[in-house]
Amino acid sequence: MRTIGAESWRFAHDIDQGLHVLLYLRDTLRLAVENGLIVPPPLDGALPDRSALLDTPARMQAERDWSAWWERVVAEHARAELGPPPVGPTHQRWVTEVAHSHHLSFDPPEWSSLASTPALRSPARTLWREASHWFTPARRPYLPPSCRDIFAWERVRHTAERVAATSCVDISALNGCALVVVVEDIWWELIGPGAAICSVGAARDPEATEAILTAVFISQLEAI
């Protein structure tokens, strides 16, 4: 995770392994999932075809179950990235609650959390290590010391200052995050107050970045 900002305000972004495991399953199994608002384009790069792991009935069930699983995992990651609320449980209690909730949605390698969805659990157990091996080099170009940061610091700071000024609030009120996925195209969506999901291309495109940051900060202020 990368966090930008001083103690008074923050913007966090991360390229998370868990999200990419789910997308790897979707794309290698060739699942025709519903294109919901937060369902990204295909992963960037060539992927193997693992569609033979599912017969027709299992495929149909997996396609029905995948979107709900994706939404749960995305929501949990966004909650973790945003950090604890200003008023609520103690920090340690919040950490414990987030870890427990995350485990209920994402618990490789046995995937007990998918016991009620065997059409997903079986290929998840088979492809977990393969997906992890794919993720490591896919993420590497965006880790230090490559200096290929995702969200440019100056752009984030400028947008935070502008939103605070136009909203007539102290900049210390701002808190936001973006979950970044290595997928095709310039794509992004707002997940909820203060949180977005976006492609690497969107995070590096000046116009898209401005729109993402503005939506994240304003939605967070509106939810206060």
Side-chain angles (χ1 to χ4, degrees):
M1 180 183 73
R2 175 71 183 274
T3 301
I4 296 174
E7 293 182 359
S8 59
W9 69 277
R10 65 188 293 275
F11 174 76
H13 59 88
D14 190 27
I15 301 179
D16 179 80
Q17 181 183 26
L19 298 182
H20 287 82
V21 168
L22 268 69
L23 293 174
Y24 188 90
L25 292 174
R26 179 197 66 176
D27 292 353
T28 59
L29 293 172
R30 305 297 194 259
L31 298 182
V33 302
E34 294 184 5
N35 293 323
L37 287 178
I38 63 169
V39 176
L43 289 169
D44 192 17
L47 296 173
D49 183 350
R50 302 296 184 231
S51 58
L53 291 174
L54 297 173
D55 59 22
T56 299
R59 172 174 304 282
M60 294 175 63
Q61 188 61 53
E63 290 172 346
R64 288 193 291 267
D65 293 336
W66 186 90
S67 293
W69 184 31
W70 170 255
E71 289 175 5
R72 289 197 307 272
V73 174
V74 167
E76 291 302 327
H77 280 289
R79 179 187 178 192
E81 290 295 322
L82 283 172
V87 178
T90 64
H91 181 76
Q92 185 55 50
R93 180 182 170 189
W94 176 85
V95 170
T96 302
E97 289 177 353
V98 168
H100 176 68
S101 182
H102 176 71
H103 187 72
L104 294 177
S105 299
F106 190 88
D107 59 343
E110 291 304 315
W111 300 100
S112 298
S113 62
L114 296 176
S116 63
T117 55
L120 285 174
R121 186 182 186 187
S122 178
R125 294 176 70 175
T126 300
L127 296 176
W128 155 245
R129 293 190 183 280
E130 179 178 299
S132 299
H133 290 157
W134 173 88
F135 174 73
T136 299
R139 185 189 186 190
R140 187 175 296 122
Y142 312 109
L143 294 175
S146 68
C147 298
R148 296 178 62 191
D149 202 1
I150 304 299
F151 284 89
W153 153 245
E154 290 296 334
R155 189 169 296 128
V156 176
R157 184 184 66 178
H158 170 77
T159 306
E161 291 172 345
R162 178 180 56 77
V163 169
T166 56
S167 301
C168 299
V169 299
D170 190 280
I171 196 171
S172 63
L174 300 185
N175 177 34
C177 73
L179 309 178
V180 184
V181 284
V182 185
V183 299
E184 299 173 354
D185 304 329
I186 294 176
W187 171 89
W188 71 276
E189 292 289 346
L190 197 65
I191 300 169
I197 183 169
C198 69
S199 65
V200 171
R204 288 181 160 178
D205 179 83
E207 184 175 342
T209 298
E210 184 79 8
I212 294 167
L213 295 168
T214 300
V216 162
F217 288 136
I218 288 181
S219 65
Q220 178 252 334
L221 291 175
E222 291 176 343
I224 296 176

Short mmCIF file of all heavy atoms in Angstrom, two decimals, residues 29-55:
data_model
loop_
_atom_site.label_atom_id
_atom_site.label_comp_id
_atom_site.label_asym_id
_atom_site.label_seq_id
_atom_site.Cartn_x
_atom_site.Cartn_y
_atom_site.Cartn_z
N LEU A 29 -10.73 -18.94 -16.45
CA LEU A 29 -11.85 -19.89 -16.54
C LEU A 29 -12.84 -19.49 -17.64
O LEU A 29 -13.78 -20.22 -17.93
CB LEU A 29 -12.59 -19.96 -15.20
CG LEU A 29 -11.80 -20.57 -14.04
CD1 LEU A 29 -12.57 -20.41 -12.74
CD2 LEU A 29 -11.51 -22.06 -14.30
N ARG A 30 -12.63 -18.27 -18.19
CA ARG A 30 -13.48 -17.74 -19.25
C ARG A 30 -14.93 -17.60 -18.76
O ARG A 30 -15.88 -17.97 -19.46
CB ARG A 30 -13.43 -18.61 -20.51
CG ARG A 30 -12.03 -18.86 -21.06
CD ARG A 30 -11.35 -17.58 -21.53
NE ARG A 30 -10.17 -17.83 -22.34
CZ ARG A 30 -8.91 -17.75 -21.90
NH1 ARG A 30 -8.69 -17.42 -20.63
NH2 ARG A 30 -7.89 -17.96 -22.70
N LEU A 31 -15.07 -17.03 -17.57
CA LEU A 31 -16.40 -16.84 -17.01
C LEU A 31 -17.08 -15.63 -17.66
O LEU A 31 -16.48 -14.54 -17.73
CB LEU A 31 -16.32 -16.62 -15.49
CG LEU A 31 -15.75 -17.76 -14.66
CD1 LEU A 31 -15.78 -17.40 -13.19
CD2 LEU A 31 -16.49 -19.07 -14.92
N ALA A 32 -18.29 -15.81 -18.10
CA ALA A 32 -19.07 -14.71 -18.68
C ALA A 32 -19.88 -14.07 -17.56
O ALA A 32 -21.08 -14.32 -17.42
CB ALA A 32 -19.97 -15.22 -19.79
N VAL A 33 -19.22 -13.25 -16.75
CA VAL A 33 -19.90 -12.65 -15.61
C VAL A 33 -20.61 -11.38 -16.03
O VAL A 33 -20.29 -10.76 -17.06
CB VAL A 33 -18.90 -12.33 -14.48
CG1 VAL A 33 -18.17 -13.59 -14.05
CG2 VAL A 33 -17.90 -11.26 -14.91
N GLU A 34 -21.58 -10.99 -15.23
CA GLU A 34 -22.31 -9.75 -15.52
C GLU A 34 -21.37 -8.56 -15.38
O GLU A 34 -20.56 -8.49 -14.46
CB GLU A 34 -23.49 -9.60 -14.56
CG GLU A 34 -24.57 -10.66 -14.74
CD GLU A 34 -25.75 -10.42 -13.83
OE1 GLU A 34 -25.75 -9.38 -13.13
OE2 GLU A 34 -26.65 -11.26 -13.81
N ASN A 35 -21.50 -7.61 -16.27
CA ASN A 35 -20.66 -6.42 -16.26
C ASN A 35 -21.25 -5.37 -15.32
O ASN A 35 -21.86 -4.40 -15.74
CB ASN A 35 -20.50 -5.85 -17.67
CG ASN A 35 -19.71 -6.78 -18.56
OD1 ASN A 35 -18.77 -7.42 -18.12
ND2 ASN A 35 -20.12 -6.88 -19.81
N GLY A 36 -21.10 -5.59 -14.02
CA GLY A 36 -21.56 -4.63 -13.04
C GLY A 36 -20.71 -3.38 -13.05
O GLY A 36 -19.67 -3.31 -13.73
N LEU A 37 -21.11 -2.39 -12.26
CA LEU A 37 -20.41 -1.11 -12.26
C LEU A 37 -18.95 -1.24 -11.86
O LEU A 37 -18.10 -0.49 -12.33
CB LEU A 37 -21.13 -0.14 -11.34
CG LEU A 37 -22.47 0.42 -11.85
CD1 LEU A 37 -23.09 1.34 -10.81
CD2 LEU A 37 -22.28 1.16 -13.17
N ILE A 38 -18.64 -2.16 -10.94
CA ILE A 38 -17.26 -2.25 -10.47
C ILE A 38 -16.54 -3.48 -11.01
O ILE A 38 -15.51 -3.88 -10.48
CB ILE A 38 -17.19 -2.24 -8.93
CG1 ILE A 38 -17.90 -3.46 -8.33
CG2 ILE A 38 -17.76 -0.96 -8.36
CD1 ILE A 38 -17.63 -3.64 -6.84
N VAL A 39 -17.06 -4.07 -12.07
CA VAL A 39 -16.39 -5.22 -12.69
C VAL A 39 -15.42 -4.70 -13.75
O VAL A 39 -15.85 -4.11 -14.74
CB VAL A 39 -17.40 -6.20 -13.31
CG1 VAL A 39 -16.67 -7.34 -14.02
CG2 VAL A 39 -18.32 -6.76 -12.23
N PRO A 40 -14.12 -4.91 -13.58
CA PRO A 40 -13.14 -4.33 -14.50
C PRO A 40 -13.08 -5.04 -15.84
O PRO A 40 -13.60 -6.15 -16.01
CB PRO A 40 -11.81 -4.52 -13.74
CG PRO A 40 -12.17 -4.94 -12.36
CD PRO A 40 -13.50 -5.61 -12.47
N PRO A 41 -12.39 -4.43 -16.81
CA PRO A 41 -12.07 -5.10 -18.07
C PRO A 41 -11.14 -6.29 -17.80
O PRO A 41 -10.72 -6.51 -16.66
CB PRO A 41 -11.36 -4.00 -18.88
CG PRO A 41 -11.68 -2.72 -18.20
CD PRO A 41 -11.89 -3.04 -16.76
N PRO A 42 -10.78 -7.04 -18.84
CA PRO A 42 -9.88 -8.18 -18.65
C PRO A 42 -8.51 -7.76 -18.14
O PRO A 42 -8.06 -6.63 -18.33
CB PRO A 42 -9.77 -8.77 -20.07
CG PRO A 42 -10.99 -8.29 -20.79
CD PRO A 42 -11.28 -6.95 -20.23
N LEU A 43 -7.85 -8.70 -17.46
CA LEU A 43 -6.47 -8.48 -17.03
C LEU A 43 -5.59 -8.18 -18.24
O LEU A 43 -5.82 -8.68 -19.34
CB LEU A 43 -5.94 -9.71 -16.30
CG LEU A 43 -6.51 -9.97 -14.90
CD1 LEU A 43 -6.09 -11.35 -14.42
CD2 LEU A 43 -6.06 -8.90 -13.91
N ASP A 44 -4.56 -7.39 -18.02
CA ASP A 44 -3.67 -6.98 -19.09
C ASP A 44 -2.62 -8.06 -19.32
O ASP A 44 -1.91 -8.46 -18.40
CB ASP A 44 -2.99 -5.66 -18.71
CG ASP A 44 -2.27 -5.03 -19.88
OD1 ASP A 44 -2.55 -5.42 -21.03
OD2 ASP A 44 -1.43 -4.14 -19.65
N GLY A 45 -2.53 -8.54 -20.54
CA GLY A 45 -1.53 -9.53 -20.86
C GLY A 45 -2.14 -10.88 -21.23
O GLY A 45 -3.33 -11.12 -21.05
N ALA A 46 -1.29 -11.75 -21.76
CA ALA A 46 -1.74 -13.08 -22.19
C ALA A 46 -1.95 -13.98 -20.97
O ALA A 46 -1.17 -13.97 -20.03
CB ALA A 46 -0.70 -13.71 -23.12
N LEU A 47 -3.05 -14.74 -21.01
CA LEU A 47 -3.39 -15.64 -19.92
C LEU A 47 -3.69 -17.03 -20.46
O LEU A 47 -4.19 -17.17 -21.58
CB LEU A 47 -4.61 -15.12 -19.16
CG LEU A 47 -4.48 -13.79 -18.42
CD1 LEU A 47 -5.84 -13.37 -17.89
CD2 LEU A 47 -3.48 -13.90 -17.29
N PRO A 48 -3.42 -18.06 -19.67
CA PRO A 48 -3.75 -19.43 -20.13
C PRO A 48 -5.26 -19.66 -20.10
O PRO A 48 -6.00 -18.93 -19.44
CB PRO A 48 -3.04 -20.31 -19.10
CG PRO A 48 -2.98 -19.48 -17.86
CD PRO A 48 -2.77 -18.07 -18.35
N ASP A 49 -5.68 -20.66 -20.82
CA ASP A 49 -7.09 -21.05 -20.84
C ASP A 49 -7.29 -22.22 -19.88
O ASP A 49 -6.79 -23.32 -20.10
CB ASP A 49 -7.49 -21.45 -22.27
CG ASP A 49 -8.96 -21.81 -22.39
OD1 ASP A 49 -9.65 -21.93 -21.35
OD2 ASP A 49 -9.44 -21.97 -23.53
N ARG A 50 -8.02 -21.98 -18.79
CA ARG A 50 -8.30 -23.03 -17.81
C ARG A 50 -9.80 -23.37 -17.78
O ARG A 50 -10.31 -23.91 -16.80
CB ARG A 50 -7.86 -22.57 -16.41
CG ARG A 50 -6.39 -22.20 -16.30
CD ARG A 50 -5.51 -23.40 -16.57
NE ARG A 50 -4.09 -23.10 -16.37
CZ ARG A 50 -3.14 -23.35 -17.25
NH1 ARG A 50 -3.46 -23.91 -18.42
NH2 ARG A 50 -1.88 -23.07 -16.98
N SER A 51 -10.48 -23.07 -18.86
CA SER A 51 -11.93 -23.29 -18.91
C SER A 51 -12.31 -24.76 -18.77
O SER A 51 -13.42 -25.08 -18.36
CB SER A 51 -12.50 -22.72 -20.22
OG SER A 51 -11.89 -23.32 -21.35
N ALA A 52 -11.38 -25.67 -19.08
CA ALA A 52 -11.68 -27.10 -19.00
C ALA A 52 -11.87 -27.56 -17.56
O ALA A 52 -12.35 -28.69 -17.33
CB ALA A 52 -10.57 -27.90 -19.66
N LEU A 53 -11.53 -26.73 -16.59
CA LEU A 53 -11.71 -27.11 -15.18
C LEU A 53 -13.19 -27.14 -14.78
O LEU A 53 -13.53 -27.68 -13.72
CB LEU A 53 -10.95 -26.14 -14.27
CG LEU A 53 -9.43 -26.21 -14.33
CD1 LEU A 53 -8.82 -25.09 -13.48
CD2 LEU A 53 -8.94 -27.57 -13.84
N LEU A 54 -14.05 -26.55 -15.59
CA LEU A 54 -15.47 -26.47 -15.25
C LEU A 54 -16.32 -27.14 -16.33
O LEU A 54 -16.12 -26.85 -17.52
CB LEU A 54 -15.92 -25.01 -15.10
CG LEU A 54 -15.28 -24.19 -13.98
CD1 LEU A 54 -15.72 -22.74 -14.10
CD2 LEU A 54 -15.66 -24.76 -12.62
N ASP A 55 -17.25 -27.99 -15.91
CA ASP A 55 -18.22 -28.48 -16.88
C ASP A 55 -19.33 -27.44 -17.01
O ASP A 55 -19.32 -26.40 -16.34
CB ASP A 55 -18.77 -29.84 -16.47
CG ASP A 55 -19.46 -29.84 -15.11
OD1 ASP A 55 -19.88 -28.75 -14.65
OD2 ASP A 55 -19.57 -30.92 -14.50
#
